[in-house]
Amino acid sequence: HGFRMNLITLTVLPIIIFLPVIEIIMSRFLTSSILWLKWQSWGRFVHAALPLKILIGQMVWKTIAGSFGKLEGAVREYIVDLECAILEESIPVTLGNEMDDINVA
Protein backbone atom coordinates (compact mmCIF):
# COMPACT_ATOMS: atom_id res chain seq x y z
CA HIS A 1 0.00 0.00 0.00
CA GLY A 2 2.98 2.29 0.43
CA PHE A 3 3.61 2.53 -3.31
CA ARG A 4 -0.03 3.32 -4.02
CA MET A 5 -0.13 6.04 -1.35
CA ASN A 6 3.02 7.64 -2.75
CA LEU A 7 1.52 7.62 -6.24
CA ILE A 8 -1.74 9.11 -4.98
CA THR A 9 0.20 11.80 -3.15
CA LEU A 10 2.25 12.62 -6.25
CA THR A 11 -0.95 12.79 -8.30
CA VAL A 12 -2.96 14.93 -5.88
CA LEU A 13 -0.16 17.25 -4.74
CA PRO A 14 0.13 19.19 -8.04
CA ILE A 15 -3.65 19.62 -8.07
CA ILE A 16 -3.51 21.11 -4.57
CA ILE A 17 -0.57 23.34 -5.46
CA PHE A 18 -2.23 24.68 -8.61
CA LEU A 19 -5.70 24.90 -7.05
CA PRO A 20 -5.86 28.73 -7.23
CA VAL A 21 -5.01 28.63 -10.93
CA ILE A 22 -7.53 25.85 -11.54
CA GLU A 23 -10.14 27.85 -9.62
CA ILE A 24 -9.56 30.94 -11.80
CA ILE A 25 -9.80 28.92 -15.00
CA MET A 26 -12.96 27.15 -13.84
CA SER A 27 -14.64 30.40 -12.77
CA ARG A 28 -13.81 31.98 -16.14
CA PHE A 29 -15.26 28.94 -17.90
CA LEU A 30 -18.39 28.77 -15.75
CA THR A 31 -19.16 32.45 -16.32
CA SER A 32 -18.37 32.44 -20.04
CA SER A 33 -21.03 33.19 -22.60
CA ILE A 34 -20.01 30.15 -24.66
CA LEU A 35 -21.12 27.83 -21.86
CA TRP A 36 -24.43 29.59 -21.22
CA LEU A 37 -25.32 29.82 -24.92
CA LYS A 38 -25.26 26.00 -24.94
CA TRP A 39 -27.70 25.73 -21.99
CA GLN A 40 -30.28 23.91 -24.11
CA SER A 41 -27.88 21.04 -24.82
CA TRP A 42 -26.54 20.39 -21.30
CA GLY A 43 -29.31 21.80 -19.10
CA ARG A 44 -31.34 18.58 -19.14
CA PHE A 45 -28.55 16.74 -17.29
CA VAL A 46 -28.73 19.28 -14.47
CA HIS A 47 -32.39 18.45 -13.87
CA ALA A 48 -32.00 14.70 -14.40
CA ALA A 49 -33.19 12.23 -11.78
CA LEU A 50 -30.86 11.33 -8.91
CA PRO A 51 -30.39 7.66 -9.96
CA LEU A 52 -29.12 8.83 -13.36
CA LYS A 53 -26.67 11.22 -11.70
CA ILE A 54 -25.47 8.43 -9.39
CA LEU A 55 -25.02 6.09 -12.36
CA ILE A 56 -23.03 8.71 -14.28
CA GLY A 57 -20.93 9.39 -11.18
CA GLN A 58 -20.24 5.68 -10.79
CA MET A 59 -19.17 5.37 -14.42
CA VAL A 60 -16.86 8.37 -14.09
CA TRP A 61 -15.36 6.95 -10.88
CA LYS A 62 -14.72 3.55 -12.50
CA THR A 63 -13.02 5.23 -15.44
CA ILE A 64 -10.80 7.32 -13.17
CA ALA A 65 -9.96 4.31 -10.97
CA GLY A 66 -9.14 2.19 -14.03
CA SER A 67 -6.89 4.92 -15.41
CA PHE A 68 -5.15 5.24 -12.06
CA GLY A 69 -4.63 1.45 -12.00
CA LYS A 70 -3.02 1.60 -15.45
CA LEU A 71 -0.83 4.50 -14.32
CA GLU A 72 0.20 2.58 -11.22
CA GLY A 73 1.11 -0.47 -13.32
CA ALA A 74 3.14 1.60 -15.77
CA VAL A 75 5.04 3.40 -13.00
CA ARG A 76 5.65 0.14 -11.13
CA GLU A 77 6.96 -1.56 -14.29
CA TYR A 78 9.24 1.41 -15.05
CA ILE A 79 10.66 1.37 -11.52
CA VAL A 80 11.24 -2.40 -11.63
CA ASP A 81 13.03 -2.10 -14.99
CA LEU A 82 15.14 0.74 -13.63
CA GLU A 83 16.05 -1.27 -10.51
CA CYS A 84 16.96 -4.29 -12.65
CA ALA A 85 19.22 -2.17 -14.84
CA ILE A 86 20.96 -0.71 -11.78
CA LEU A 87 21.33 -4.17 -10.25
CA GLU A 88 22.78 -5.62 -13.46
CA GLU A 89 25.34 -2.81 -13.63
CA SER A 90 26.41 -3.07 -9.99
CA ILE A 91 26.70 -6.85 -9.53
CA PRO A 92 29.95 -8.31 -10.90
CA VAL A 93 29.65 -11.31 -13.16
CA THR A 94 31.88 -13.95 -11.57
CA LEU A 95 29.76 -17.00 -12.19
CA GLY A 96 30.61 -17.09 -15.90
CA ASN A 97 34.34 -17.66 -15.25
CA GLU A 98 33.62 -20.44 -12.75
CA MET A 99 31.33 -22.18 -15.24
CA ASP A 100 34.09 -22.15 -17.86
CA ASP A 101 36.48 -23.81 -15.37
CA ILE A 102 33.86 -26.49 -14.60
CA ASN A 103 33.29 -27.26 -18.31
CA VAL A 104 37.05 -27.58 -18.99
CA ALA A 105 37.59 -30.06 -16.16
Side-chain angles (χ1 to χ4, degrees):
H1 291 291
F3 178 75
R4 182 170 290 182
M5 288 305 297
N6 287 339
L7 192 58
I8 289 172
T9 303
L10 290 175
T11 305
V12 172
L13 191 63
I15 294 172
I16 292 172
I17 290 172
F18 292 108
L19 199 57
V21 176
I22 294 169
E23 183 180 353
I24 291 170
I25 292 170
M26 287 301 296
S27 67
R28 294 272 173 119
F29 175 72
L30 291 174
T31 57
S32 70
S33 62
I34 296 170
L35 177 71
W36 292 103
L37 287 175
K38 301 287 185 181
W39 167 257
Q40 296 296 326
S41 63
W42 62 267
R44 60 181 165 227
F45 294 110
V46 173
H47 300 291
L50 182 61
L52 178 63
K53 290 178 184 178
I54 292 172
L55 179 65
I56 291 172
Q58 182 182 13
M59 290 171 37
V60 168
W61 175 256
K62 284 184 180 181
T63 302
I64 291 171
S67 298
F68 186 78
K70 289 178 185 177
L71 175 67
E72 180 185 8
V75 169
R76 186 180 300 267
E77 184 176 333
Y78 176 75
I79 290 174
V80 167
D81 290 342
L82 194 61
E83 287 175 346
C84 288
I86 292 170
L87 188 64
E88 288 173 358
E89 289 177 5
S90 63
I91 294 181
V93 180
T94 57
L95 185 61
N97 295 336
E98 292 174 6
M99 291 301 290
D100 289 340
D101 293 340
I102 294 172
N103 290 335
V104 172

